[in-house]
Amino acid sequence: MPTDLAVLVAAAVDGDRSAFEELVKATYADAYTLAFRLTGNEEDARDVVQDAYLRAYKGLKKFRGDASFSTWMYRITANCASSYLVKRSRNRHENLDDETHLADERPEIDPELRADAASERRRLADALESLPPDMRAVVVLRDVYDLPHEAIAAELGITEGAAKVRLHRARKRLRERLFPLRAERDGEESAHAV
Amino acid sequence: MQCEHVHELLPEVVDGNHQADPDVVDHVQGCLRCQAELVQYRRLLRALHNLRTEVLEPAPGTLSGILAHIEAVGERGAIRSLLSGRRAAYVGGLAVATAAAGAGAIVLLGRGKRRVRAA
Ligand SMILES: [Zn+2]
């Protein structure tokens, strides 16, 4: 952890409110980015980071210096986003279960767009957004933020086995969407023609 | 071993954290199709990893929203503690929550509210 951040964390743990505010200022864009990647939209991401920092503030005494503050915030943000998405899916009568999304396993991609020189990064972000939230969460936390399986399972309230299964499915879908092989492209084109 | 079977396993073995079945390794070594598939997965993992360096700019008001949320909940909690007579717990919480000056303001607010309710 950078020294300045470590100093702020120590002061905040000792009850220095302004140190905590400085800590928020130094880290919120990063936490917001994760929240955005998990929820897929700005409004939800804002709600999630608000909850996450409140939880961090209340739980600051429990923060042990052995993990970095950023990693600790990622875990809290992941947990808040997970609860938030469950609540949202209930309100909108969505279903978060993997199986219900199989119908749109191969979302249509406009060939013009694919041919476009849009950056790989942009396409990757789009592909991530197209995943069901529970799959997206696991692949973002593991492959982008490098959290261990154990932490991911704990924050999402699932078993490590389930986390791994979701991760592998998510990677497979992203691979299919981002780098379609010739045979897959041909299959898609003939499917469009029908 | 069939390519289709190997393809199913690649998302699991690509990060190197999982000990791949020697049969799978043998197959991939001798199969261009599976090697191409593995390359795509490696490319995907690299791209995901690189995404980590991108920090989005939060919409204006995000920071003030976070700080206001903490402030508001801190004050509500303090008021609740006062009203429920858990004064000791409240004072303990304040040591964490606020500097001494802020604490005075919250106490006043809490008392004001209690008076309103009593009236
Ligand atoms: Zn093969």
Short mmCIF file of all heavy atoms in Angstrom, two decimals, chain B residues 22-79:
data_model
loop_
_atom_site.label_atom_id
_atom_site.label_comp_id
_atom_site.label_asym_id
_atom_site.label_seq_id
_atom_site.Cartn_x
_atom_site.Cartn_y
_atom_site.Cartn_z
N PRO B 22 -2.55 -34.79 -18.17
CA PRO B 22 -1.47 -35.00 -19.15
C PRO B 22 -2.00 -35.34 -20.54
O PRO B 22 -1.40 -34.94 -21.56
CB PRO B 22 -0.69 -36.20 -18.58
CG PRO B 22 -1.05 -36.26 -17.13
CD PRO B 22 -2.40 -35.65 -16.98
N ASP B 23 -3.14 -36.01 -20.61
CA ASP B 23 -3.73 -36.32 -21.92
C ASP B 23 -4.12 -35.05 -22.66
O ASP B 23 -3.98 -34.94 -23.88
CB ASP B 23 -5.00 -37.20 -21.75
CG ASP B 23 -4.63 -38.61 -21.31
OD1 ASP B 23 -3.42 -38.95 -21.39
OD2 ASP B 23 -5.54 -39.35 -20.88
N VAL B 24 -4.61 -34.09 -21.89
CA VAL B 24 -5.02 -32.81 -22.49
C VAL B 24 -3.77 -32.09 -23.01
O VAL B 24 -3.75 -31.59 -24.13
CB VAL B 24 -5.77 -31.93 -21.46
CG1 VAL B 24 -6.02 -30.53 -22.03
CG2 VAL B 24 -7.08 -32.58 -21.04
N VAL B 25 -2.73 -32.08 -22.18
CA VAL B 25 -1.49 -31.42 -22.57
C VAL B 25 -0.94 -32.05 -23.86
O VAL B 25 -0.59 -31.34 -24.81
CB VAL B 25 -0.44 -31.51 -21.44
CG1 VAL B 25 0.90 -30.90 -21.89
CG2 VAL B 25 -0.95 -30.80 -20.18
N ASP B 26 -0.91 -33.39 -23.89
CA ASP B 26 -0.42 -34.11 -25.08
C ASP B 26 -1.23 -33.72 -26.31
O ASP B 26 -0.68 -33.45 -27.37
CB ASP B 26 -0.54 -35.63 -24.89
CG ASP B 26 0.58 -36.15 -24.00
OD1 ASP B 26 1.50 -35.36 -23.71
OD2 ASP B 26 0.52 -37.32 -23.58
N HIS B 27 -2.54 -33.69 -26.11
CA HIS B 27 -3.40 -33.38 -27.25
C HIS B 27 -3.10 -31.98 -27.79
O HIS B 27 -2.91 -31.80 -28.99
CB HIS B 27 -4.89 -33.49 -26.86
CG HIS B 27 -5.79 -33.07 -27.98
ND1 HIS B 27 -6.35 -33.96 -28.87
CD2 HIS B 27 -6.20 -31.83 -28.39
CE1 HIS B 27 -7.07 -33.29 -29.76
NE2 HIS B 27 -6.99 -32.00 -29.48
N VAL B 28 -3.05 -31.02 -26.87
CA VAL B 28 -2.86 -29.64 -27.31
C VAL B 28 -1.51 -29.49 -28.02
O VAL B 28 -1.41 -28.80 -29.04
CB VAL B 28 -2.96 -28.65 -26.11
CG1 VAL B 28 -2.60 -27.23 -26.53
CG2 VAL B 28 -4.37 -28.68 -25.53
N GLN B 29 -0.50 -30.20 -27.51
CA GLN B 29 0.82 -30.09 -28.14
C GLN B 29 0.81 -30.56 -29.60
O GLN B 29 1.57 -30.04 -30.42
CB GLN B 29 1.86 -30.85 -27.32
CG GLN B 29 2.43 -29.96 -26.23
CD GLN B 29 3.25 -30.71 -25.20
OE1 GLN B 29 3.35 -31.95 -25.25
NE2 GLN B 29 3.81 -29.98 -24.26
N GLY B 30 -0.08 -31.50 -29.87
CA GLY B 30 -0.10 -32.03 -31.23
C GLY B 30 -1.25 -31.52 -32.08
O GLY B 30 -1.47 -32.03 -33.17
N CYS B 31 -2.02 -30.56 -31.57
CA CYS B 31 -3.23 -30.14 -32.31
C CYS B 31 -3.26 -28.63 -32.52
O CYS B 31 -3.38 -27.85 -31.58
CB CYS B 31 -4.48 -30.59 -31.54
SG CYS B 31 -6.01 -30.00 -32.29
N LEU B 32 -3.13 -28.24 -33.78
CA LEU B 32 -3.11 -26.81 -34.10
C LEU B 32 -4.41 -26.11 -33.74
O LEU B 32 -4.42 -24.95 -33.32
CB LEU B 32 -2.81 -26.62 -35.59
CG LEU B 32 -1.37 -26.93 -36.02
CD1 LEU B 32 -1.22 -26.77 -37.53
CD2 LEU B 32 -0.38 -26.01 -35.30
N ARG B 33 -5.50 -26.83 -33.90
CA ARG B 33 -6.81 -26.22 -33.63
C ARG B 33 -6.92 -25.86 -32.15
O ARG B 33 -7.36 -24.76 -31.79
CB ARG B 33 -7.89 -27.23 -34.02
CG ARG B 33 -9.22 -26.59 -34.28
CD ARG B 33 -10.25 -27.63 -34.68
NE ARG B 33 -11.54 -27.22 -34.15
CZ ARG B 33 -12.52 -28.04 -33.85
NH1 ARG B 33 -12.36 -29.35 -34.02
NH2 ARG B 33 -13.65 -27.58 -33.38
N CYS B 34 -6.50 -26.78 -31.30
CA CYS B 34 -6.57 -26.51 -29.85
C CYS B 34 -5.55 -25.48 -29.43
O CYS B 34 -5.79 -24.69 -28.51
CB CYS B 34 -6.43 -27.81 -29.06
SG CYS B 34 -7.91 -28.83 -29.17
N GLN B 35 -4.41 -25.46 -30.11
CA GLN B 35 -3.41 -24.44 -29.79
C GLN B 35 -3.97 -23.05 -30.12
O GLN B 35 -3.79 -22.10 -29.36
CB GLN B 35 -2.12 -24.67 -30.59
CG GLN B 35 -1.27 -25.80 -30.02
CD GLN B 35 -0.10 -26.15 -30.93
OE1 GLN B 35 0.34 -25.35 -31.76
NE2 GLN B 35 0.40 -27.36 -30.76
N ALA B 36 -4.64 -22.96 -31.26
CA ALA B 36 -5.24 -21.68 -31.65
C ALA B 36 -6.27 -21.25 -30.61
O ALA B 36 -6.35 -20.07 -30.24
CB ALA B 36 -5.89 -21.80 -33.03
N GLU B 37 -7.03 -22.22 -30.14
CA GLU B 37 -8.05 -21.93 -29.14
C GLU B 37 -7.40 -21.44 -27.83
O GLU B 37 -7.87 -20.48 -27.22
CB GLU B 37 -8.87 -23.21 -28.90
CG GLU B 37 -10.05 -23.06 -27.97
CD GLU B 37 -11.20 -22.27 -28.56
OE1 GLU B 37 -11.13 -21.89 -29.75
OE2 GLU B 37 -12.16 -22.01 -27.82
N LEU B 38 -6.34 -22.10 -27.46
CA LEU B 38 -5.63 -21.71 -26.23
C LEU B 38 -5.08 -20.29 -26.35
O LEU B 38 -5.13 -19.49 -25.40
CB LEU B 38 -4.51 -22.71 -25.94
CG LEU B 38 -3.73 -22.51 -24.63
CD1 LEU B 38 -4.66 -22.64 -23.43
CD2 LEU B 38 -2.61 -23.54 -24.52
N VAL B 39 -4.57 -19.97 -27.54
CA VAL B 39 -4.04 -18.62 -27.77
C VAL B 39 -5.14 -17.58 -27.56
O VAL B 39 -4.92 -16.52 -26.95
CB VAL B 39 -3.45 -18.50 -29.21
CG1 VAL B 39 -3.21 -17.04 -29.59
CG2 VAL B 39 -2.16 -19.29 -29.30
N GLN B 40 -6.35 -17.89 -28.01
CA GLN B 40 -7.46 -16.95 -27.83
C GLN B 40 -7.77 -16.74 -26.36
O GLN B 40 -8.05 -15.63 -25.92
CB GLN B 40 -8.73 -17.46 -28.55
CG GLN B 40 -8.56 -17.68 -30.03
CD GLN B 40 -8.37 -16.37 -30.80
OE1 GLN B 40 -7.70 -15.46 -30.33
NE2 GLN B 40 -8.95 -16.31 -31.98
N TYR B 41 -7.74 -17.81 -25.59
CA TYR B 41 -7.99 -17.68 -24.16
C TYR B 41 -6.90 -16.87 -23.46
O TYR B 41 -7.19 -16.07 -22.57
CB TYR B 41 -8.14 -19.06 -23.50
CG TYR B 41 -9.53 -19.61 -23.62
CD1 TYR B 41 -9.82 -20.67 -24.46
CD2 TYR B 41 -10.57 -19.03 -22.90
CE1 TYR B 41 -11.12 -21.16 -24.58
CE2 TYR B 41 -11.87 -19.51 -23.01
CZ TYR B 41 -12.13 -20.57 -23.86
OH TYR B 41 -13.42 -21.03 -23.97
N ARG B 42 -5.66 -17.09 -23.89
CA ARG B 42 -4.56 -16.30 -23.30
C ARG B 42 -4.74 -14.83 -23.62
O ARG B 42 -4.52 -13.96 -22.78
CB ARG B 42 -3.21 -16.79 -23.84
CG ARG B 42 -2.88 -18.19 -23.35
CD ARG B 42 -1.38 -18.33 -23.06
NE ARG B 42 -1.10 -19.59 -22.41
CZ ARG B 42 -0.43 -20.60 -22.97
NH1 ARG B 42 0.06 -20.47 -24.19
NH2 ARG B 42 -0.23 -21.71 -22.31
N ARG B 43 -5.16 -14.57 -24.84
CA ARG B 43 -5.38 -13.19 -25.27
C ARG B 43 -6.49 -12.56 -24.43
O ARG B 43 -6.40 -11.40 -24.02
CB ARG B 43 -5.81 -13.25 -26.75
CG ARG B 43 -5.48 -12.04 -27.53
CD ARG B 43 -5.81 -12.32 -28.99
NE ARG B 43 -6.45 -11.17 -29.60
CZ ARG B 43 -7.09 -11.21 -30.76
NH1 ARG B 43 -7.22 -12.35 -31.41
NH2 ARG B 43 -7.62 -10.13 -31.26
N LEU B 44 -7.51 -13.35 -24.20
CA LEU B 44 -8.62 -12.86 -23.38
C LEU B 44 -8.15 -12.51 -21.96
O LEU B 44 -8.45 -11.44 -21.44
CB LEU B 44 -9.73 -13.92 -23.30
CG LEU B 44 -10.84 -13.64 -22.29
CD1 LEU B 44 -11.66 -12.42 -22.69
CD2 LEU B 44 -11.76 -14.86 -22.14
N LEU B 45 -7.39 -13.40 -21.35
CA LEU B 45 -6.92 -13.15 -19.99
C LEU B 45 -6.03 -11.92 -19.92
O LEU B 45 -6.10 -11.14 -18.97
CB LEU B 45 -6.15 -14.36 -19.42
CG LEU B 45 -6.97 -15.56 -18.97
CD1 LEU B 45 -6.18 -16.40 -17.97
CD2 LEU B 45 -8.29 -15.17 -18.33
N ARG B 46 -5.19 -11.75 -20.95
CA ARG B 46 -4.33 -10.55 -20.99
C ARG B 46 -5.18 -9.29 -21.07
O ARG B 46 -4.95 -8.31 -20.36
CB ARG B 46 -3.40 -10.62 -22.20
CG ARG B 46 -1.95 -10.84 -21.85
CD ARG B 46 -0.98 -10.50 -22.98
NE ARG B 46 -1.47 -10.74 -24.32
CZ ARG B 46 -1.37 -11.91 -24.98
NH1 ARG B 46 -0.78 -12.94 -24.39
NH2 ARG B 46 -1.83 -12.04 -26.20
N ALA B 47 -6.19 -9.34 -21.93
CA ALA B 47 -7.06 -8.16 -22.10
C ALA B 47 -7.80 -7.85 -20.79
O ALA B 47 -7.90 -6.69 -20.38
CB ALA B 47 -8.05 -8.41 -23.23
N LEU B 48 -8.28 -8.89 -20.11
CA LEU B 48 -8.98 -8.68 -18.84
C LEU B 48 -8.02 -8.07 -17.81
O LEU B 48 -8.37 -7.13 -17.10
CB LEU B 48 -9.54 -10.01 -18.32
CG LEU B 48 -10.80 -10.51 -19.02
CD1 LEU B 48 -11.06 -11.97 -18.69
CD2 LEU B 48 -12.01 -9.66 -18.65
N HIS B 49 -6.83 -8.62 -17.77
CA HIS B 49 -5.84 -8.13 -16.82
C HIS B 49 -5.52 -6.65 -17.07
O HIS B 49 -5.41 -5.86 -16.14
CB HIS B 49 -4.58 -8.99 -16.93
CG HIS B 49 -3.55 -8.67 -15.90
ND1 HIS B 49 -3.70 -9.06 -14.60
CD2 HIS B 49 -2.40 -7.97 -15.98
CE1 HIS B 49 -2.65 -8.62 -13.91
NE2 HIS B 49 -1.86 -7.97 -14.72
N ASN B 50 -5.41 -6.30 -18.35
CA ASN B 50 -5.10 -4.91 -18.70
C ASN B 50 -6.21 -3.93 -18.33
O ASN B 50 -5.98 -2.75 -18.13
CB ASN B 50 -4.82 -4.79 -20.20
CG ASN B 50 -3.50 -5.44 -20.56
OD1 ASN B 50 -2.64 -5.64 -19.70
ND2 ASN B 50 -3.32 -5.80 -21.83
N LEU B 51 -7.42 -4.46 -18.26
CA LEU B 51 -8.57 -3.61 -17.91
C LEU B 51 -8.40 -3.02 -16.51
O LEU B 51 -8.96 -1.99 -16.18
CB LEU B 51 -9.83 -4.47 -17.97
CG LEU B 51 -11.15 -3.79 -18.31
CD1 LEU B 51 -11.08 -3.07 -19.63
CD2 LEU B 51 -12.26 -4.83 -18.35
N ARG B 52 -7.63 -3.69 -15.71
CA ARG B 52 -7.41 -3.28 -14.32
C ARG B 52 -6.80 -1.88 -14.23
O ARG B 52 -7.02 -1.15 -13.27
CB ARG B 52 -6.50 -4.32 -13.65
CG ARG B 52 -6.03 -4.02 -12.27
CD ARG B 52 -7.17 -4.09 -11.27
NE ARG B 52 -6.74 -3.54 -9.99
CZ ARG B 52 -6.72 -2.26 -9.73
NH1 ARG B 52 -7.12 -1.39 -10.64
NH2 ARG B 52 -6.32 -1.83 -8.57
N THR B 53 -6.01 -1.51 -15.25
CA THR B 53 -5.34 -0.21 -15.20
C THR B 53 -6.29 0.94 -15.56
O THR B 53 -5.93 2.10 -15.41
CB THR B 53 -4.15 -0.17 -16.18
OG1 THR B 53 -4.66 -0.46 -17.49
CG2 THR B 53 -3.09 -1.19 -15.81
N GLU B 54 -7.46 0.60 -16.05
CA GLU B 54 -8.39 1.65 -16.46
C GLU B 54 -9.25 2.08 -15.28
O GLU B 54 -9.93 1.25 -14.68
CB GLU B 54 -9.28 1.13 -17.59
CG GLU B 54 -10.20 2.17 -18.15
CD GLU B 54 -11.11 1.60 -19.24
OE1 GLU B 54 -12.18 1.10 -18.89
OE2 GLU B 54 -10.72 1.65 -20.41
N VAL B 55 -9.18 3.34 -14.94
CA VAL B 55 -10.04 3.85 -13.87
C VAL B 55 -11.04 4.81 -14.49
O VAL B 55 -10.66 5.77 -15.16
CB VAL B 55 -9.21 4.56 -12.78
CG1 VAL B 55 -10.12 5.15 -11.71
CG2 VAL B 55 -8.22 3.59 -12.15
N LEU B 56 -12.31 4.53 -14.31
CA LEU B 56 -13.36 5.37 -14.90
C LEU B 56 -13.53 6.64 -14.07
O LEU B 56 -13.25 6.64 -12.87
CB LEU B 56 -14.68 4.61 -14.93
CG LEU B 56 -14.67 3.27 -15.66
CD1 LEU B 56 -16.02 2.58 -15.50
CD2 LEU B 56 -14.33 3.45 -17.13
N GLU B 57 -14.00 7.68 -14.73
CA GLU B 57 -14.25 8.91 -14.00
C GLU B 57 -15.68 8.89 -13.50
O GLU B 57 -16.62 8.88 -14.29
CB GLU B 57 -14.01 10.11 -14.90
CG GLU B 57 -13.92 11.38 -14.10
CD GLU B 57 -13.71 12.60 -14.98
OE1 GLU B 57 -12.98 12.49 -15.98
OE2 GLU B 57 -14.32 13.63 -14.66
N PRO B 58 -15.86 8.88 -12.18
CA PRO B 58 -17.22 8.84 -11.66
C PRO B 58 -17.99 10.10 -12.03
O PRO B 58 -17.38 11.17 -12.22
CB PRO B 58 -17.02 8.77 -10.14
CG PRO B 58 -15.61 8.35 -9.94
CD PRO B 58 -14.85 8.87 -11.11
N ALA B 59 -19.29 9.98 -12.15
CA ALA B 59 -20.13 11.13 -12.48
C ALA B 59 -19.97 12.18 -11.38
O ALA B 59 -19.71 11.84 -10.23
CB ALA B 59 -21.59 10.69 -12.58
N PRO B 60 -20.12 13.47 -11.77
CA PRO B 60 -20.01 14.52 -10.75
C PRO B 60 -21.01 14.26 -9.62
O PRO B 60 -22.12 13.80 -9.87
CB PRO B 60 -20.40 15.80 -11.51
CG PRO B 60 -20.29 15.47 -12.96
CD PRO B 60 -20.47 13.99 -13.10
N GLY B 61 -20.60 14.55 -8.41
CA GLY B 61 -21.51 14.35 -7.29
C GLY B 61 -21.33 13.01 -6.60
O GLY B 61 -21.89 12.78 -5.53
N THR B 62 -20.54 12.13 -7.20
CA THR B 62 -20.35 10.81 -6.59
C THR B 62 -19.63 10.93 -5.24
O THR B 62 -20.08 10.36 -4.24
CB THR B 62 -19.55 9.88 -7.52
OG1 THR B 62 -20.23 9.80 -8.77
CG2 THR B 62 -19.40 8.49 -6.93
N LEU B 63 -18.56 11.72 -5.24
CA LEU B 63 -17.78 11.86 -3.99
C LEU B 63 -18.64 12.51 -2.90
O LEU B 63 -18.71 12.00 -1.77
CB LEU B 63 -16.52 12.70 -4.25
CG LEU B 63 -15.69 13.02 -3.02
CD1 LEU B 63 -15.14 11.74 -2.39
CD2 LEU B 63 -14.53 13.95 -3.37
N SER B 64 -19.30 13.62 -3.24
CA SER B 64 -20.09 14.29 -2.21
C SER B 64 -21.23 13.38 -1.75
O SER B 64 -21.62 13.39 -0.58
CB SER B 64 -20.62 15.63 -2.71
OG SER B 64 -21.30 15.45 -3.92
N GLY B 65 -21.74 12.56 -2.68
CA GLY B 65 -22.79 11.59 -2.31
C GLY B 65 -22.30 10.59 -1.27
O GLY B 65 -23.00 10.30 -0.30
N ILE B 66 -21.09 10.09 -1.47
CA ILE B 66 -20.52 9.11 -0.53
C ILE B 66 -20.36 9.76 0.85
O ILE B 66 -20.78 9.20 1.87
CB ILE B 66 -19.14 8.61 -1.03
CG1 ILE B 66 -19.27 7.84 -2.33
CG2 ILE B 66 -18.47 7.75 0.04
CD1 ILE B 66 -17.94 7.55 -3.02
N LEU B 67 -19.77 10.96 0.85
CA LEU B 67 -19.50 11.62 2.13
C LEU B 67 -20.80 11.99 2.84
O LEU B 67 -20.93 11.81 4.06
CB LEU B 67 -18.62 12.85 1.91
CG LEU B 67 -17.23 12.55 1.32
CD1 LEU B 67 -16.45 13.83 1.08
CD2 LEU B 67 -16.43 11.60 2.21
N ALA B 68 -21.78 12.45 2.08
CA ALA B 68 -23.06 12.83 2.68
C ALA B 68 -23.77 11.61 3.26
O ALA B 68 -24.40 11.67 4.31
CB ALA B 68 -23.94 13.52 1.64
N HIS B 69 -23.65 10.50 2.56
CA HIS B 69 -24.29 9.25 2.99
C HIS B 69 -23.72 8.82 4.35
O HIS B 69 -24.46 8.45 5.26
CB HIS B 69 -24.00 8.20 1.93
CG HIS B 69 -24.83 6.96 2.02
ND1 HIS B 69 -26.20 6.99 2.06
CD2 HIS B 69 -24.48 5.64 2.07
CE1 HIS B 69 -26.66 5.75 2.13
NE2 HIS B 69 -25.63 4.91 2.14
N ILE B 70 -22.41 8.91 4.47
CA ILE B 70 -21.75 8.52 5.73
C ILE B 70 -22.19 9.47 6.85
O ILE B 70 -22.55 9.05 7.95
CB ILE B 70 -20.21 8.54 5.57
CG1 ILE B 70 -19.78 7.43 4.62
CG2 ILE B 70 -19.51 8.41 6.91
CD1 ILE B 70 -18.34 7.51 4.20
N GLU B 71 -22.19 10.74 6.51
CA GLU B 71 -22.58 11.76 7.48
C GLU B 71 -24.01 11.51 7.96
O GLU B 71 -24.29 11.47 9.16
CB GLU B 71 -22.50 13.14 6.80
CG GLU B 71 -22.73 14.30 7.72
CD GLU B 71 -21.41 14.99 8.04
OE1 GLU B 71 -20.38 14.61 7.46
OE2 GLU B 71 -21.42 15.89 8.88
N ALA B 72 -24.91 11.31 7.00
CA ALA B 72 -26.34 11.17 7.33
C ALA B 72 -26.57 9.95 8.20
O ALA B 72 -27.27 10.02 9.21
CB ALA B 72 -27.15 11.07 6.04
N VAL B 73 -25.99 8.84 7.81
CA VAL B 73 -26.23 7.62 8.58
C VAL B 73 -25.58 7.72 9.95
O VAL B 73 -26.13 7.28 10.95
CB VAL B 73 -25.72 6.39 7.80
CG1 VAL B 73 -25.82 5.12 8.65
CG2 VAL B 73 -26.52 6.22 6.52
N GLY B 74 -24.40 8.36 10.01
CA GLY B 74 -23.73 8.57 11.29
C GLY B 74 -24.63 9.36 12.24
O GLY B 74 -24.79 9.03 13.40
N GLU B 75 -25.27 10.39 11.70
CA GLU B 75 -26.13 11.23 12.54
C GLU B 75 -27.39 10.50 12.95
O GLU B 75 -27.81 10.57 14.10
CB GLU B 75 -26.47 12.53 11.80
CG GLU B 75 -25.26 13.43 11.71
CD GLU B 75 -25.56 14.78 11.08
OE1 GLU B 75 -26.74 15.09 10.86
OE2 GLU B 75 -24.59 15.51 10.82
N ARG B 76 -27.98 9.77 12.01
CA ARG B 76 -29.20 9.01 12.35
C ARG B 76 -28.89 8.01 13.46
O ARG B 76 -29.66 7.87 14.40
CB ARG B 76 -29.74 8.27 11.13
CG ARG B 76 -30.66 9.11 10.27
CD ARG B 76 -31.60 8.22 9.46
NE ARG B 76 -30.94 7.28 8.59
CZ ARG B 76 -30.45 7.60 7.39
NH1 ARG B 76 -30.56 8.83 6.93
NH2 ARG B 76 -29.87 6.68 6.66
N GLY B 77 -27.73 7.34 13.31
CA GLY B 77 -27.35 6.35 14.32
C GLY B 77 -27.17 7.00 15.68
O GLY B 77 -27.60 6.48 16.70
N ALA B 78 -26.55 8.18 15.67
CA ALA B 78 -26.30 8.89 16.93
C ALA B 78 -27.62 9.28 17.58
O ALA B 78 -27.82 9.13 18.79
CB ALA B 78 -25.45 10.12 16.66
N ILE B 79 -28.55 9.76 16.76
CA ILE B 79 -29.85 10.18 17.29
C ILE B 79 -30.61 8.98 17.86
O ILE B 79 -31.16 9.03 18.95
CB ILE B 79 -30.69 10.86 16.18
CG1 ILE B 79 -30.05 12.21 15.81
CG2 ILE B 79 -32.12 11.07 16.62
CD1 ILE B 79 -30.55 12.80 14.52
#
